[in-house]
């Protein structure tokens, strides 16, 4: 065991440093996302979704950096990663709407002025919608119409349509008699 440590001492030290640096990087990114979420009054579930994206980014960086540390040639790694990304790219082209909804979800996280509980109107000539935002997911929004109908609306369509704020926050208890 000690012989293994001495022969790979430099790689082990680099591994520890890389893991520590990536852990700090992940911590900083999560704190920044949390700060943006708190300042913009974004619901905690949307902030947690950003945490998942940050985790995926850090894992990909860790795999790449640790592979280089343990002796893989950069050309071999670039071939492996480019092959993997080519396969993923072809798969994503086949299901591009999912990718566009995820991208729209990230954009909405940072710039969507409406919150859960806001009453909005989507100006669509074919199907205008006036509803209350019940939940904001990675791919879609859950909207509850004034008639009680639940509508699942894709994030990418929300970026393509004009949306206006009717009421900032809607409370289901409003209008009920106090007991």
């Amino acid at each position: 065991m000690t012989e293994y440590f001495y022969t790979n001492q430099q790689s082990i030290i680099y591994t520890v440093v890389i893991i520590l640096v990536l852990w700090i990087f992940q911590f900083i990114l999560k704190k920044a996302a949390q700060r943006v979420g708190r300042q913009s009054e974004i619901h905690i579930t949307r902030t947690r979704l950003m945490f998942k994206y940050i985790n995926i980014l850090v894992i990909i960086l860790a795999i790449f950096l640790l592979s280089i540390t343990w002796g893989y040639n950069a050309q071999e790694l670039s071939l492996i990663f480019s092959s993997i990304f080519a396969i993923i790219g072809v798969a994503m082209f086949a299901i591009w709407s999912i990718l566009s909804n995820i991208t729209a979800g990230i954009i909405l996280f940072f710039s969507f002025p409406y919150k859960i509980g806001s009453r909005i109107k989507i100006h669509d000539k074919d199907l205008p919608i006036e509803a209350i935002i019940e939940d904001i997911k990675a791919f879609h929004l859950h909207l509850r119409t004034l008639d009680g109908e639940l509508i699942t609306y894709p994030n990418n369509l929300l970026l393509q349509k004009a949306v206006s704020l009717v009421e900032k926050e809607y409370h289901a208890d409003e209008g009920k008699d106090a007991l």
Side-chain angles (χ1 to χ4, degrees), residues 77-108:
L77 282 177
S78 65
L79 178 65
I80 292 170
F81 273 96
S82 65
S83 299
I84 290 171
F85 286 128
I87 292 169
I88 291 172
V90 169
M92 287 298 170
F93 180 75
I95 51 174
W96 66 271
S97 65
I98 292 175
L99 183 61
S100 68
N101 280 318
I102 291 173
T103 306
I106 293 170
I107 292 169
L108 291 177

Side-chain angles (χ1 to χ4, degrees), residues 4 6 17 24 34 36 67 79 91 113 121 123 127 147 159 165:
Y4 178 78
Y6 286 121
V17 170
I24 293 169
Q34 191 174 32
V36 167
S67 298
L79 178 65
K121 184 172 184 178
H123 303 279
L127 181 67
D147 299 332
L159 291 178
L165 180 65

Side-chain angles (χ1 to χ4, degrees), residues 84-151:
I84 290 171
F85 286 128
I87 292 169
I88 291 172
V90 169
M92 287 298 170
F93 180 75
I95 51 174
W96 66 271
S97 65
I98 292 175
L99 183 61
S100 68
N101 280 318
I102 291 173
T103 306
I106 293 170
I107 292 169
L108 291 177
F109 175 78
F110 289 108
S111 65
F112 195 52
Y114 316 113
K115 312 287 182 241
I116 294 175
S118 296
R119 187 168 154 194
I120 62 170
K121 184 172 184 178
I122 300 171
H123 303 279
D124 186 3
K125 69 176 184 174
D126 297 328
L127 181 67
I129 298 172
E130 187 169 336
I132 298 160
I133 300 174
E134 276 194 357
D135 199 4
I136 302 172
K137 303 279 186 184
F139 300 104
H140 57 272
L141 273 82
H142 285 174
L143 303 171
R144 181 76 60 183
T145 64
L146 303 178
D147 299 332
E149 180 183 8
L150 180 65
I151 297 174

Side-chain angles (χ1 to χ4, degrees), residues 12 16 26 29 40 48 63-64 66-67 81 102 107 125 145 156 166 168:
I12 293 171
V16 171
Q26 180 182 28
L29 286 178
S40 301
R48 287 185 184 141
I63 290 170
F64 184 74
L66 291 175
S67 298
F81 273 96
I102 291 173
I107 292 169
K125 69 176 184 174
T145 64
N156 63 348
V166 177
K168 188 165 187 167

